[in-house]
Amino acid sequence: LLRVLVLLKTLLITSAFCSRHSVVRTSAFRRTGKAHVRMSSSLSALPELCVFDLDACFWDQEMYEMPSIPTPGDVVLGDLNGRGNGVVGVMSGGNKISLHKGSMQALQDHADNKYPGMKVAFASSADTPFAEKIGRASLKLLEVLPGLTVWDLVVGRDWGGNDINQIGRQPPLSSNKARSHFPRLKQESGGIRYDRMLFFDDCNWGDHCGMVSQGCREADTKQGPATVRTPAGLSLKLWQEGLSTYAAQAKRLQSA
């Protein structure tokens, strides 16, 4: 009888242990599963934030070389990529500032809501406060569609009038976009993750793409922004390459 009682007690203890262990494993699996679904559902083939450098990338001039701040009297009218007539350039002295073809197409498509969930911002290390003023003035004059300026689209529509663009290198900015521009963009955008960003930069004066992709990484995915170098300015081909590069990165993160 005593042996029977001992055997029953052992069986009861073993059963209870197995039951608890099963519950823990099941619970952990459920938590992991939910986390995975949450991450997967938040990923998109499109970036949440597309960031453009300005000089020699978004447009065709270097602001530090420009002699004057453009005014409404300095606009150049012309065809906006087949979408009607508007401001295709602004004059700074004898220099015309115009968008590269890829920049124009990107913003026209953005204005047409072809990239749902995506917003746009600028990260430029303009050399001087005067160069920064030239850049901001140009953004407020150059048009994407007739009557719609770059500033109207990016600052007005995307950010509700809040200028989150990081232009210049005066404190708190610096010449290193990974240390100043992108952390501020993340903060002022409401916390858009680095691995949900796409960044274009000419990289002619330093490898900003490399510095940003290496220096601005998320702790959980170890991934930074998708980047594309545009040494001759943003072409149509490079714009499409950027979208493909980001989509491939998002796919890798989703399957991880």
Side-chain angles (χ1 to χ4, degrees):
L1 180 60
L2 181 59
R3 287 182 178 179
V4 172
L5 290 174
V6 170
L7 180 59
L8 286 173
K9 183 176 181 181
T10 301
L11 289 172
L12 288 171
I13 292 173
T14 302
S15 177
F17 172 80
C18 291
S19 178
R20 286 196 302 272
H21 185 62
S22 175
V23 169
V24 170
R25 288 185 62 188
T26 302
S27 178
F29 173 79
R30 287 174 179 168
R31 286 197 301 271
T32 304
K34 288 179 181 178
H36 180 70
V37 170
R38 228 173 8 247
M39 175 174 284
S40 298
S41 64
S42 68
L43 286 172
S44 167
L46 294 171
E48 293 181 22
L49 181 62
C50 182
V51 183
F52 297 98
D53 171 44
L54 290 175
D55 295 359
C57 174
F58 184 71
W59 51 42
D60 56 3
Q61 298 287 353
E62 297 275 3
M63 294 302 99
Y64 77 92
E65 295 178 337
M66 299 298 101
S68 60
I69 299 173
T71 69
D74 297 316
V75 301
V76 179
L77 301 178
D79 176 63
L80 289 169
N81 198 28
R83 302 292 297 272
N85 288 327
V87 180
V88 297
V90 291
M91 300 301 297
S92 176
N95 306 285
K96 185 175 79 167
I97 304 167
S98 299
L99 302 188
H100 281 293
K101 290 183 179 180
S103 307
M104 177 64 77
Q105 189 65 58
L107 291 199
Q108 285 185 336
D109 288 347
H110 182 47
D112 292 338
N113 297 306
K114 291 186 178 179
Y115 309 120
M118 187 187 84
K119 294 183 178 182
V120 170
F122 300 104
S124 168
S125 53
D127 294 66
T128 66
F130 187 65
E132 178 186 344
K133 290 179 181 179
I134 294 172
R136 290 183 184 276
S138 300
L139 291 172
K140 293 176 181 178
L141 293 171
L142 290 166
E143 291 184 338
V144 177
L145 296 170
L148 179 70
T149 68
V150 175
W151 192 269
D152 292 337
L153 176 62
V154 174
V155 177
R157 194 190 80 173
D158 283 3
W159 302 105
N162 182 31
D163 178 14
I164 77 159
N165 300 299
Q166 306 300 315
I167 302 174
R169 59 177 64 190
Q170 309 304 311
L173 297 178
S174 70
S175 61
N176 188 325
K177 297 178 183 181
R179 292 182 179 177
S180 55
H181 295 62
F182 272 79
R184 289 178 62 82
L185 278 175
K186 182 177 182 180
Q187 179 183 1
E188 296 189 25
S189 68
I192 293 178
R193 292 170 56 98
Y194 292 131
D195 56 13
R196 305 294 194 270
M197 298 182 187
L198 171 60
F199 176 43
F200 295 90
D201 195 292
D202 65 280
C203 296
N204 289 327
W205 302 99
D207 188 10
H208 292 294
C209 284
M211 289 187 286
V212 167
S213 64
Q214 294 294 318
C216 300
R217 293 188 173 191
E218 292 296 334
D220 53 354
T221 62
K222 311 300 182 186
Q223 184 67 57
T227 62
V228 175
R229 294 168 178 82
T230 63
L234 183 57
S235 64
L236 293 169
K237 180 180 178 181
L238 287 175
W239 168 241
Q240 291 301 322
E241 179 182 317
L243 294 176
S244 298
T245 299
Y246 178 83
Q249 174 173 297
K251 185 176 181 179
R252 288 196 304 271
L253 291 176
Q254 190 167 12
S255 60

